[in-house]
Amino acid sequence: MQVIEAKGFKLPLVGLGTWTLQGRDCTRLVEQAIRVGYRHIDTAQMYNNERAVGEGVRASGRRNEVVVVTKVQPTLLAPHDLERSVKESLVSLRLDVIDLLLIHWPNPRVPLAETLGAMAKMKREGYTRAVGVSNFTVALLDEAVRVSPEPLVCNQVECHPYLDQDKVIAACRKHGMAMVAYSPIARGQARGDELLSRIGAAHKKTAAQVCLRWLVQQGIAVVPRTSKILRLEENLAIFDFELSDAEMKEIAGLARPGGRIVDWTYSPKWD
Ligand SMILES: NC(=O)c1ccc[n+]([C@@H]2O[C@H](COP(=O)([O-])OP(=O)(O)OC[C@H]3O[C@@H](n4cnc5c(N)ncnc54)[C@H](OP(=O)(O)O)[C@@H]3O)[C@@H](O)[C@H]2O)c1
């Protein structure tokens, strides 16, 4: 599995997204994903599946080879809440350490420096090996880098061909951070796309594979989710072909206003 290296941390380019996966099905998928070669599993406190994810990781027998990412809920970003919730995450996961801990969404009610101070403390005290952020705009990213006591490894944001994320990609590069694409196949929309299917046919690949390849070929990590064992391998088989410059450009042309799936201004009830 190819990795992207940021701030000395190695993040496998393809991870398994686990949002909506629950219980035994989730455990089975995580275990099977690791069996077929995944080395990066993406969960979050909000997904309510850390227990099932942890079980799958342990059942794989390859815990030490896998990067487990979890995210702190935006309502728990005050230092005391954050520290308590991270300890709870570890209990749920039943792992000794989280590999990469992210702020799930910024919360304007809690000063960023305080949250990042608490994240750094979690790292220093051995609860997580690395820290990063998710859903951070360019401006927030600049601020986070300025005030974080520990290096920030990544920014995980919505990214797929229907959404122009060039500015945030450039900001990640500027700060030496990994860009991680969530909803990388646009929640399945890529599947029926005419252009992606046509390019896929030329490479004997599916539209979803072309979509994922377009991202990893730009050095962007991806965390596609599937509930189907068969698709685990499909979403991983994207390292044996290359898109031409013309194909890369054509796919970038799919970006359109309103292409965003997850509302960037989404604000959970902060109280
Ligand atoms: N940080 C954040 O705020 C944030 C927000 C959203 C998501 N995420 C993370 O990113 C992960 C992925 O994003 P997502 O779940 O929103 O969407 P996604 O991975 O873009 O799409 C998932 C959908 O695509 C389908 N699919 C998967 N592989 C396919 C293939 N090869 N061909 C055709 N269809 C395929 C799945 O259906 P089947 O199950 O039927 O295969 C599912 O309906 C999440 O699970 C989560 O871990 C993070």
Side-chain angles (χ1 to χ4, degrees):
M1 164 68 72
Q2 291 183 28
V3 298
I4 177 167
E5 192 160 348
K7 319 278 179 178
F9 188 86
K10 291 192 173 94
L11 186 66
L13 268 177
V14 181
L16 176 69
T18 67
W19 176 59
T20 76
L21 304 179
Q22 294 289 325
R24 275 208 210 132
D25 288 344
C26 176
T27 299
R28 207 165 53 97
L29 271 154
V30 168
E31 181 185 355
Q32 189 59 24
I34 297 168
R35 288 245 162 89
V36 303
Y38 285 71
R39 292 293 179 266
H40 168 179
I41 308 289
D42 183 76
T43 180
Q45 293 171 351
M46 263 188 186
Y47 303 167
N48 245 326
N49 65 5
E50 287 177 314
R51 183 169 299 278
V53 166
E55 259 176 56
V57 171
R58 279 180 286 107
S60 75
R62 294 184 180 272
R63 190 315 168 221
N64 294 338
E65 299 169 40
V66 180
V67 172
V68 176
V69 180
T70 195
K71 317 184 195 80
V72 184
Q73 298 214 36
T75 48
L76 300 174
L77 296 186
H80 181 73
D81 295 337
L82 185 143
E83 288 174 31
R84 202 193 57 232
S85 82
V86 170
K87 289 172 190 169
E88 283 170 7
S89 280
L90 271 176
V91 170
S92 299
L93 287 161
R94 287 210 274 149
L95 299 176
D96 292 340
V97 68
I98 293 160
D99 296 295
L100 178 56
L101 179 69
L102 309 183
I103 296 176
H104 202 148
W105 289 87
N107 180 343
R109 297 198 182 176
V110 184
L112 192 50
E114 286 183 17
T115 301
L116 288 168
M119 297 275 286
K121 184 168 173 229
M122 293 290 93
K123 183 180 165 191
R124 280 196 310 273
E125 294 184 357
Y127 293 98
T128 185
R129 293 203 295 121
V131 293
V133 297
S134 177
N135 295 301
F136 271 41
T137 60
V138 172
L140 265 179
L141 211 51
D142 286 344
E143 184 188 344
V145 168
R146 194 161 34 79
V147 301
S148 180
E150 287 286 338
L152 297 170
V153 163
C154 75
N155 187 20
Q156 184 186 112
V157 300
E158 181 178 340
C159 191
H160 47 71
Y162 307 113
L163 179 65
D164 180 355
Q165 288 287 43
D166 282 356
K167 285 189 183 142
V168 75
I169 294 171
C172 286
R173 292 210 175 112
K174 179 178 88 176
H175 294 302
M177 293 166 71
M179 165 91 177
V180 181
Y182 76 64
S183 306
I185 43 184
R187 295 248 162 105
Q189 274 181 58
R191 171 177 35 204
D193 188 282
E194 218 174 287
L195 174 69
L196 298 176
S197 301
R198 174 168 56 74
I199 293 176
H203 293 276
K204 298 197 169 54
K205 292 286 174 183
T206 65
Q209 287 172 318
V210 170
C211 187
L212 294 170
R213 176 70 206 180
W214 179 75
L215 291 162
V216 300
Q217 204 165 306
Q218 298 175 69
I220 298 170
V222 294
V223 288
R225 164 180 55 100
T226 181
S227 56
K228 303 197 168 58
I229 298 265
L230 271 179
R231 282 184 173 158
L232 288 172
E233 293 194 51
E234 177 182 337
N235 292 345
L236 204 56
I238 55 171
F239 295 103
D240 57 354
F241 74 112
E242 197 167 343
L243 298 168
S244 68
D245 290 347
E247 289 169 332
M248 291 292 286
K249 270 200 198 115
E250 252 189 302
I251 297 169
L254 291 173
R256 54 176 191 240
R260 191 182 291 284
I261 296 166
V262 179
D263 187 358
W264 188 257
T265 57
Y266 160 84
S267 55
K269 289 199 169 51
W270 302 115
D271 304 309

